[in-house]
Amino acid sequence: MKYRKPVIAGNWKMNTDIESGIKLVKEILDLSDSIANVEKIVCPPFVSLTSIARALNGSSIQLGAQNVNANENGSFTGEISTTMLCGLISHVIIGHSERRMFNGESSNQVAAKAITVSNAGIVPILCVGEDLSIRKSGKAANFVTKQLKASLKGFLNWESLIIAYEPIWAIGTGEAATSGQAQEMAAICRKVIYQLSPDVADSVRVLYGGSVNSGNVAELLIQPDIDGALVGGASLKAKEFSNLIRIASSN
Ligand code: PEP
């Protein structure tokens, strides 16, 4: 099996203002800048990106956005494009379940974003995951297979892709998937990649997201198909987020 460097990515969602965001990232830097063998990414709100990029300059922590428009420019009032983000960020979360739910984003739109993002030299962190009713009906594998295929329609730049399996029922609930459930679904994501582009299936990183904390991350990260974590709540606490980074670096 190919070595895949673990990734710990923090999704701050609609939390922090510019001042508290800078304070948070400085605390994270103090605690984890020197930790090696793990890719560290923070994804603050748009308005904080410039200030946080300045704080991160020269450090080992990378910067991501939480969303982007699929168009490079044009009459899309209030939207943010890859053209604006180029040179500022290295990663962008796309297809997060909250955007699919609250902003009605379809997998077709997510696929268009994935293409625009990778064409701009930015790595998409593409999220997929089933809700509780789908999980209970035993159709999670089928649902995520279809959702991931649809979200990667037309995608070609396989070297530039991170996938995050995030069961909706585990996000922000304190009820993480078991390591067995997470591994099963991460393996399904990898199988989809194999079907779409067999040569890269062994190198694309698949993260797990949903109530990850320092008590459950080690067990998740030792699973053969889980290469890191996308972290919401715990990424807003410098110490806890840095603990996740430390555990991932020694896993
Ligand atoms: C998320 O929103 O991507 C997430 C995983 O949140 P939490 O860690 O809070 O469950």
Side-chain angles (χ1 to χ4, degrees), residues 12 16-19 21-22 44-53 63:
W12 294 7
T16 68
D17 55 21
I18 296 178
E19 200 182 328
I22 293 172
F46 280 125
V47 292
S48 299
L49 287 177
T50 311
S51 326
I52 291 187
L63 187 61

Side-chain angles (χ1 to χ4, degrees), residues 2-221:
K2 212 167 176 174
Y3 170 72
R4 296 187 292 266
K5 193 173 185 178
V7 177
I8 299 291
N11 174 11
W12 294 7
K13 310 195 187 190
M14 202 172 71
N15 297 298
T16 68
D17 55 21
I18 296 178
E19 200 182 328
S20 61
I22 293 172
K23 184 169 174 279
L24 175 59
V25 88
K26 283 188 173 163
E27 286 168 2
I28 294 171
L29 273 173
D30 277 349
L31 293 166
S32 61
D33 190 22
S34 61
I35 303 174
N37 303 322
V38 53
E39 231 175 274
K40 304 158 248 184
I41 307 164
V42 291
C43 303
F46 280 125
V47 292
S48 299
L49 287 177
T50 311
S51 326
I52 291 187
R54 227 173 277 135
L56 290 178
N57 193 20
S59 80
S60 64
I61 300 183
Q62 301 177 83
L63 187 61
Q66 298 173 19
N67 179 41
V68 72
N69 192 278
N71 299 283
E72 284 168 18
N73 47 52
S75 302
F76 302 100
T77 303
E79 290 292 288
I80 308 275
S81 71
T82 51
T83 314
M84 300 169 188
L85 294 171
C86 258
L88 191 59
I89 61 161
S90 53
H91 294 75
V92 60
I93 298 169
I94 56 171
H96 192 280
S97 59
E98 286 155 12
R99 293 209 60 86
R100 292 181 189 261
M101 261 188 302
F102 305 134
N103 300 79
E105 278 185 21
S106 66
S107 290
N108 267 348
Q109 287 170 308
V110 175
K113 291 182 186 204
I115 293 168
T116 309
V117 166
S118 71
N119 284 346
I122 298 168
V123 179
I125 302 175
L126 197 169
C127 303
V128 291
E130 81 287 356
D131 67 18
L132 189 57
S133 68
I134 295 171
R135 165 68 43 181
K136 281 187 173 161
S137 69
K139 293 182 179 144
N142 192 25
F143 177 86
V144 167
T145 297
K146 281 195 183 140
Q147 191 184 44
L148 184 54
K149 278 187 180 162
S151 302
L152 285 170
K153 200 166 167 216
F155 190 80
L156 292 172
N157 196 358
W158 299 105
E159 284 72 36
S160 163
L161 175 68
I162 294 175
I163 291 169
Y165 165 64
E166 297 207 307
I168 296 170
W169 47 272
I171 294 180
T173 60
E175 291 284 330
T178 64
S179 53
Q181 288 169 323
Q183 162 56 27
E184 185 191 357
M185 298 303 289
I188 282 164
C189 292
R190 199 172 301 288
K191 190 170 151 202
V192 169
I193 301 299
Y194 182 81
Q195 288 165 356
L196 296 173
S197 182
D199 291 353
V200 300
D202 224 19
S203 47
V204 169
R205 266 89 53 93
V206 180
L207 316 184
Y208 165 78
S211 296
V212 170
N213 58 46
S214 55
N216 59 24
V217 74
E219 178 67 21
L220 289 159
L221 293 184

